[in-house]
Amino acid sequence: MVTLKIPNKPRGCTPLDSLLPKAKPTQANNHRNNNPVKRTRKMGYAVLHLDKAKGADSGMSAHIERTIHPKNADSTRTHLNRELIQFPDGVTNRTQAIQHRLDTAGLKRKIANNQVRAIRILLTGTHEDMMQIEKNGKLEDWCQDNIEWLRKTYGIDNVVSVVLHMDESTPHLHATVVPIVQIERQRKKKEQEVKRTYRKKAPAPRLCADDVMSRANLKRYQNTYAEAMQKYGLQRGIEGSEAQHISTHEYYRSLMAQGKDIQEDVEALLKQKEQAEQELSKIKSERKTEELKNTAAQTATTALKGINSLLGSNKISKLEKENEQLKSEIASRDKQIIKLQADMKQQNEWHVDEVRHTKLQMQSIINDMQSTIDKILRWFPIVGEYLRIERECIKHGFSKEDTLKLICGNAVTFRGYLRLDGRNTDAWAENVTAKVSKIGKDKLQLTVEQTPIAEWIQQLLERKNHEHLIEQQKISNSRAFHL
């Protein structure tokens, strides 16, 4: 990505302000005629920043659509934000617009979970130039020229959302592009080394962010965008610059680090203040002692001159000035600490809101999944039967592997204990055949030796009990005979 270097953030600026380069005025001084300084303003810079987005990108959608309000935005101006692209029928937000484009693009290959589905693009300019564009009533023309450049560069259908933000310090656009391309896939270097010929495929739509964001294309985007924005007094950034973009989270993390440094400086200043007060007290004590020792008139006169000399010296005055300066610096640091604490509190509140929003999203997904399952069971009752048979197999003592075979319609030869439903009694089954049979249109039955399993187990238990009673009767008859 070609980005602009972020300078150290001045007090009161937002993270977006730090992204925008400032156009510095030049000075032309006429020292010979003592004329006042004349300032001529250079052209500002056009800002174009691209970033890949994976998955549904719901976090950025929440920021762009202001479902979660960021702390660097003015809530009294949020109503001025607006979506500049008309969504298709049935589409109500940015996330749905991305999915609609993927569903209707005619893609042949399945989209991987980690594949880039959208590209986020930030379009703006130097703060002073953007404010002048708004003041001159050209902001609407600037937005339309940006949309025209986006559609010409990435394709009309691929530009699914363009949102104008007016509630931050600098007007800017958040564009969303789905990277659908028609060109043939570029072969990798290893594939080119293999001396094989492949049948060329007809051009078909592909989802490929790497082709859209290749190094050559990124450079071309910066050049063509600067040409489109030139009529608004915006020029291209420095080509080949090593500047890097920092995220909002990194910016606030640096603020917290600065807060720790400020606290350390405050503690050092307090120690210096204490030492200065001790030294000042010592000097005043020396002056009083000197007055008491010299009681004689001549000695008192000499002492008085010494005191006047001491009072007229720069030592006490210098210490008092340093003391006042330290007090001023401590007060300034205290204000900075209070501001940082307020920023940290706001960041924590934003985090709580984000967690709450995520929970609501997860609950919505769970509700959608439950609704889908209910529809499947209502439209395809046989699915519910298969789930019931699975529970019945596990309950009677079949393993997961045997249960899978039975559900797939295969017969299973079983050797082991079978449990009767609702009882803790187990019955030993020796090489019996179990199978799931279909009864009627939407009914299934688990059978053993072609008999319903509960009935078969009950018969087996009764047979075992009968054999046990016969054995006990034989033992009783044998004892009676011996007697």
Side-chain angles (χ1 to χ4, degrees):
M1 286 177 284
V2 180
T3 58
L4 297 169
K5 185 174 182 180
I6 299 177
N8 292 330
K9 176 182 176 293
R11 192 171 183 180
C13 291
T14 63
L16 180 60
D17 294 327
S18 60
L19 176 63
L20 303 177
K22 301 296 186 290
K24 298 181 179 179
T26 58
Q27 298 181 356
N29 296 332
N30 191 337
H31 297 286
R32 181 175 299 174
N33 298 326
N34 294 324
N35 291 333
V37 176
K38 297 180 180 180
R39 296 185 178 181
T40 58
R41 188 176 179 279
K42 290 184 178 180
M43 290 180 64
Y45 294 102
V47 177
L48 177 67
H49 180 75
L50 289 81
D51 198 7
K52 295 179 180 179
K54 297 181 180 179
D57 200 24
S58 58
M60 181 53 69
S61 294
H63 170 79
I64 293 175
E65 297 170 352
R66 293 297 191 253
T67 56
I68 295 178
H69 196 79
K71 51 182 165 290
N72 64 312
D74 183 1
S75 58
T76 61
R77 291 177 55 84
T78 301
H79 67 281
L80 300 175
N81 298 351
R82 53 194 171 98
E83 172 67 62
L84 304 180
I85 299 296
Q86 183 176 0
F87 291 145
D89 294 339
V91 176
T92 60
N93 56 45
R94 173 179 177 270
T95 303
Q96 293 179 4
I98 295 173
Q99 189 61 44
H100 180 272
R101 175 55 181 154
L102 294 173
D103 294 339
T104 59
L107 301 176
K108 303 297 183 182
R109 300 183 62 181
K110 181 180 178 181
I111 301 175
N113 292 333
N114 62 343
Q115 193 168 357
V116 176
R117 304 189 182 192
I119 296 175
R120 303 190 292 256
I121 304 179
L122 174 68
L123 307 101
T124 184
T126 308
H127 175 76
E128 292 82 359
D129 295 87
M130 292 304 301
M131 299 307 293
Q132 189 65 36
I133 290 172
E134 182 182 6
K135 182 179 179 181
N136 295 339
K138 296 182 179 180
L139 186 61
E140 190 68 27
D141 295 337
W142 178 82
C143 292
Q144 292 302 321
D145 287 340
N146 273 271
I147 293 175
E148 182 179 351
W149 178 84
L150 287 167
R151 288 175 168 173
K152 181 179 179 181
T153 304
Y154 304 104
I156 296 177
D157 295 333
N158 290 339
V159 181
V160 298
S161 173
V162 178
V163 177
L164 172 65
H165 274 184
M166 297 292 293
D167 57 354
E168 297 181 46
S169 60
T170 303
H172 59 279
L173 295 176
H174 285 284
T176 304
V177 173
V178 179
I180 304 293
V181 297
Q182 293 281 350
I183 60 176
E184 184 180 356
R185 183 178 72 87
Q186 298 294 328
R187 294 174 60 190
K188 296 181 179 180
K189 187 175 181 181
K190 291 183 179 179
E191 295 177 339
Q192 294 175 356
E193 294 175 355
V194 178
K195 296 181 179 180
R196 291 182 60 182
T197 57
Y198 297 89
R199 179 174 59 85
K200 290 187 176 180
K201 299 180 180 179
R206 295 186 301 109
L207 181 65
C208 185
D210 291 339
D211 286 355
V212 176
M213 294 186 65
S214 64
R215 184 180 295 272
N217 280 336
L218 290 175
K219 184 176 181 180
R220 178 171 61 85
Y221 299 155
Q222 296 290 340
N223 293 333
T224 58
Y225 183 67
E227 292 174 1
M229 296 294 105
Q230 189 172 8
K231 64 181 179 179
Y232 297 102
L234 301 175
Q235 63 179 340
R236 191 194 191 286
I238 301 173
E239 186 172 355
S241 172
E242 297 180 356
Q244 294 182 351
H245 170 64
I246 64 171
S247 65
T248 305
H249 293 290
E250 292 173 343
Y251 162 71
Y252 284 109
R253 189 161 53 246
S254 67
L255 276 185
M256 294 176 67
Q258 292 178 12
K260 294 181 180 179
D261 295 339
I262 291 173
Q263 183 65 32
E264 294 176 356
D265 292 343
V266 169
E267 293 176 356
L269 288 173
L270 289 173
K271 291 182 180 179
Q272 294 178 10
K273 175 186 175 183
E274 184 179 355
Q275 293 176 357
E277 290 177 346
Q278 291 177 356
E279 187 172 352
L280 180 61
S281 176
K282 182 179 179 181
I283 292 173
K284 291 180 178 180
S285 176
E286 291 176 354
R287 186 184 65 181
K288 291 180 180 179
T289 303
E290 200 67 31
E291 289 176 351
L292 293 173
K293 287 182 178 180
N294 299 290
T295 56
Q298 186 178 358
T299 308
T301 302
T302 304
L304 182 60
K305 291 181 180 179
I307 292 172
N308 290 334
S309 176
L310 183 59
L311 290 173
S313 66
N314 294 328
K315 189 172 183 180
I316 296 176
S317 177
K318 181 179 179 181
L319 288 174
E320 289 178 345
K321 289 181 179 179
E322 290 179 354
N323 189 23
E324 292 298 326
Q325 184 178 359
L326 287 173
K327 289 181 179 179
S328 176
E329 291 180 359
I330 291 172
S332 176
R333 294 297 174 91
D334 288 341
K335 292 180 180 179
Q336 293 179 10
I337 291 173
I338 293 173
K339 184 178 182 301
L340 287 172
Q341 289 174 345
D343 291 341
M344 292 172 65
K345 182 179 179 181
Q346 290 180 357
Q347 187 176 10
N348 184 55
E349 292 175 352
W350 174 82
H351 175 71
V352 172
D353 291 340
E354 187 175 19
V355 171
R356 186 185 302 109
H357 179 70
T358 303
K359 288 182 178 179
L360 292 176
Q361 285 185 328
M362 293 301 297
Q363 186 61 44
S364 177
I365 293 172
I366 292 172
N367 293 339
D368 292 343
M369 292 178 65
Q370 185 61 47
S371 176
T372 302
I373 292 172
D374 293 340
K375 290 179 182 178
I376 291 173
L377 295 178
R378 186 168 60 253
W379 295 341
F380 304 98
I382 192 67
V383 175
E385 280 294 295
Y386 278 116
L387 294 175
R388 182 184 64 80
I389 288 296
E390 179 191 20
R391 294 192 297 269
E392 188 174 350
C393 291
I394 298 298
K395 181 172 56 179
H396 284 302
F398 288 97
S399 65
K400 292 183 179 179
E401 293 78 6
D402 290 341
T403 300
L404 179 60
K405 292 178 182 178
L406 289 169
I407 291 176
C408 292
N410 300 322
V412 173
T413 301
F414 183 81
R415 182 177 182 274
Y417 285 100
L418 290 176
R419 188 176 300 106
L420 185 62
D421 185 19
R423 296 172 59 181
N424 294 326
T425 305
D426 294 337
W428 176 262
E430 184 69 30
N431 296 329
V432 296
T433 301
K435 190 175 182 181
V436 175
S437 303
K438 197 169 185 181
I439 304 174
K441 182 179 179 181
D442 296 320
K443 290 292 182 179
L444 299 175
Q445 187 178 50
L446 176 61
T447 62
V448 176
E449 298 296 343
Q450 299 181 353
T451 303
I453 186 168
E455 183 179 343
W456 186 88
I457 295 175
Q458 184 65 36
Q459 292 175 1
L460 180 62
L461 290 174
E462 290 176 356
R463 188 167 57 251
K464 293 289 186 182
N465 290 336
H466 182 68
E467 291 175 356
H468 179 70
L469 290 174
I470 292 174
E471 186 68 24
Q472 291 294 330
Q473 188 65 34
K474 287 181 180 181
I475 294 173
S476 298
N477 293 339
S478 175
R479 290 177 179 175
F481 176 75
H482 285 295
L483 291 174

